[in-house]
Amino acid sequence: MRFTELRTLLGECLRHQPGRTWLLLVLTPLGAVTPGLTALGLQWIVDGVLTGDRPTIVGGAICAATAGAFALAGSRVVQVQTGLVANEVGTVLGRRTMRWCATLPTTAHLEDTESLRRIEQIRGLGPRTVSFGLNCLSVAQSGLWLVITTVLLARVHPVLLALPLFAVPSILLTRTTSRRMEAASAATTERNRAEQHLFTLITEANSAKELRLGASGGYAAGIARRLRDERAAILGRATLAVGALTLIGSLVFVAAFLGALLLTARLALSGTVTPGALLLVATLGGQIRGQLDLLSQALTRTARGLTMTGDYLWLRDLHAASSGGTLAPPDRLSDGITLTGVDFSYGGPPVLRAIDLHLPAGATVALVGDHGSGKTTLVKLLCGFHRPVAGTLTVDGTPLGELDSEAWRERVTSAFQDFSRFPFLAREAVGVGDLPRIDQIGEAAEKGGAAQVFARLPEGGETRLGKALGDGVELSGGQWQKIALSRAFMRGTPLLAVLDEPTAALDAAAEYEVYQRYAQAARQWQEATGGITLLVSHRFATIRMADLIVVLDGGRIIECGTHAELVALGGRYAHLYDLQASAYR
Ligand code: ADP
């Protein structure tokens, strides 16, 4: 039983909707009493008719009618109030999860399959989760009803005490089936996500172009078909198994009910019980099926609601555990950023090993290495997206983990090769680089080249980009890159500026121009704040300008120094530099 989830869910309902939640908590036991009162009332009416006892008839009629009316009105009130509570509380939880997802300081959870599965489930978190979870009240009501029914049946004959017991297999099987359906649903989530991703690849202009050219559209569609078939097979098998188990549970109970009716009829014939008792057993026995159906549905929904609440708690704990420290980053760097014995892995083999590196304040540092050597991973650690598995990473002597991660992020600017293509207005796509100054993009748009892009757009900076949020204008790769670069220029005084091959889509002249502007800006913030500029590039014309060049290979630093020092060393750097230089000769 998921008590923590249950406590959390009811706690949130009581906090945000106390009146309505208490009303539901009070109506729950009352709802359990009414069916028993109806059955008793009917028994009294029959017995009163057979014995000619008017007060018993009237008492039975009042009892049955009041209980019936209350059951009807009560269930309607419960339905409406549950809907209202679910809506209000679900909206609060949904809003909260959205905020947590958006502000998680690290992004490690977005690169791990199990976490992505949970995020996918959380995406649907809202009113439905709460209304599913509140089915626990129906479970309690049905449980209480079962106890009352058992007592009433036992008054007719002790053997009938066993009748609800025959419902136990059905309840147990219901729990098994709900677990089975949950497992099937979890097993299909990953396939569903992969299939949707493939669909996006097939239908998004950029990737569709590459798929068409490589004639691999059919290949991608084939994988999607296989995933869909697997998903259908898993769900089909689970549905069949669930159907068979439910049928077995029902048959066991129907046989027992028949036996109970025959026994009561014999007792009535022999005069041991009144004929009205037969009606009581028939009414209650008949309700057992319906109530069990309700119970089984309520159990399934509660399990689903609590599983989703479990995912909500996982996200809450993840957010709390990774919310970083509370210290403010320094106004200006005096010493720099130091990595000591840093190891990192994405959960598999190590990707960075025993990194000892000092990035001096005010320096321009270039990272060089083959694809997969760990350059981007090192950048991600410096930005605070991931935490080292071992070793320390300090900013002017303070561990990065102790700094308020949002405050640190505000002092970092970055432009990545796989930059985002935000489907906002063109000026917004630049301005979100520094949200508080979203309307002051002038200088950044000039420096990063976005101003040139705006000049060619039908409505300048007010033009919507991309197709995701409306019928916007699609840009070329180079134009998107200029938007991304300008976004990186938005942060006025960064302590760390990262350029991870952001000019790959630009031609040589445009790249030269961007780097000139970047170098100029870098000089400004290096003087103002001791900021560090980190370049990841394959172009040696850019790399050689750096104050410090770090050569990575297989996750280790193999060489470190200035251009002149590394050329003189005659190692890997000198070899790579020669290769590129000779290509231009
Ligand atoms: P580079 O930037 O030098 O090309 P990366 O830092 O991107 O290298 O990658 C270093 C290694 O880490 C590669 O072997 C790559 O496959 C692996 N890697 C990168 N990102 C992930 C990830 N999200 N999950 C697992 N492995 C990853």
Side-chain angles (χ1 to χ4, degrees), residues 34-260:
T34 49
L37 286 178
T38 309
L40 267 181
L42 291 176
Q43 179 186 6
W44 292 335
I45 291 172
V46 171
D47 289 344
V49 168
L50 289 174
T51 56
D53 182 356
R54 277 172 188 270
T56 308
I57 298 173
V58 173
I62 291 175
C63 178
T66 314
F70 185 83
L72 219 77
S75 72
R76 186 78 193 114
V77 171
V78 166
Q79 200 184 4
V80 171
Q81 296 303 322
T82 305
L84 291 171
V85 172
N87 208 21
E88 292 295 324
V89 179
T91 307
V92 172
L93 298 190
R95 218 183 295 140
R96 211 177 274 164
T97 48
M98 182 79 168
R99 180 162 50 81
W100 284 339
C101 280
T103 57
L104 264 175
T106 57
T107 56
H109 62 291
L110 299 177
E111 305 189 39
D112 155 58
T113 315
E114 171 58 14
S115 303
L116 278 175
R117 184 193 67 72
R118 295 192 138 193
I119 296 271
E120 183 72 26
Q121 301 276 9
I122 286 167
R123 193 188 290 244
L125 196 138
R128 223 161 60 101
T129 313
V130 181
S131 89
F132 273 15
L134 281 178
N135 270 271
C136 64
L137 296 180
S138 305
V139 172
Q141 192 178 66
S142 298
L144 189 58
W145 175 88
L146 211 59
V147 173
I148 294 170
T149 301
T150 312
V151 172
L152 290 176
L153 289 175
R155 281 176 63 238
V156 177
H157 193 280
V159 170
L160 295 184
L161 205 63
L163 184 57
L165 280 185
F166 285 90
V168 171
S170 180
I171 295 176
L172 292 180
L173 288 175
T174 302
R175 296 180 63 172
T176 314
T177 54
S178 78
R179 267 200 299 271
R180 173 103 207 222
M181 276 319 275
E182 250 180 59
S185 147
T188 52
T189 308
E190 172 61 11
R191 288 175 176 80
N192 205 11
R193 206 172 52 73
E195 192 193 322
Q196 281 174 10
H197 180 65
L198 281 168
F199 188 74
T200 310
L201 275 184
I202 293 168
T203 52
E204 214 180 38
N206 233 354
S207 44
K209 186 180 64 196
E210 242 177 271
L211 285 173
R212 301 273 187 299
L213 282 178
S216 28
Y219 180 69
I223 301 177
R225 196 168 47 242
R226 181 173 57 73
L227 289 170
R228 200 174 316 131
D229 290 348
E230 282 175 9
R231 194 156 51 92
I234 292 173
L235 286 178
R237 275 198 300 274
T239 310
L240 263 181
V242 164
L245 290 174
T246 310
L247 186 68
I248 293 170
S250 304
L251 285 178
V252 171
F253 178 72
V254 168
F257 184 31
L258 193 63

Side-chain angles (χ1 to χ4, degrees), residues 111 346 351 369-378 380 500 536 552:
E111 305 189 39
Y346 288 99
V351 171
D370 292 337
H371 288 298
S373 57
K375 303 182 294 296
T376 298
T377 305
L378 185 56
K380 287 197 228 170
D500 189 347
V536 178
L552 282 166

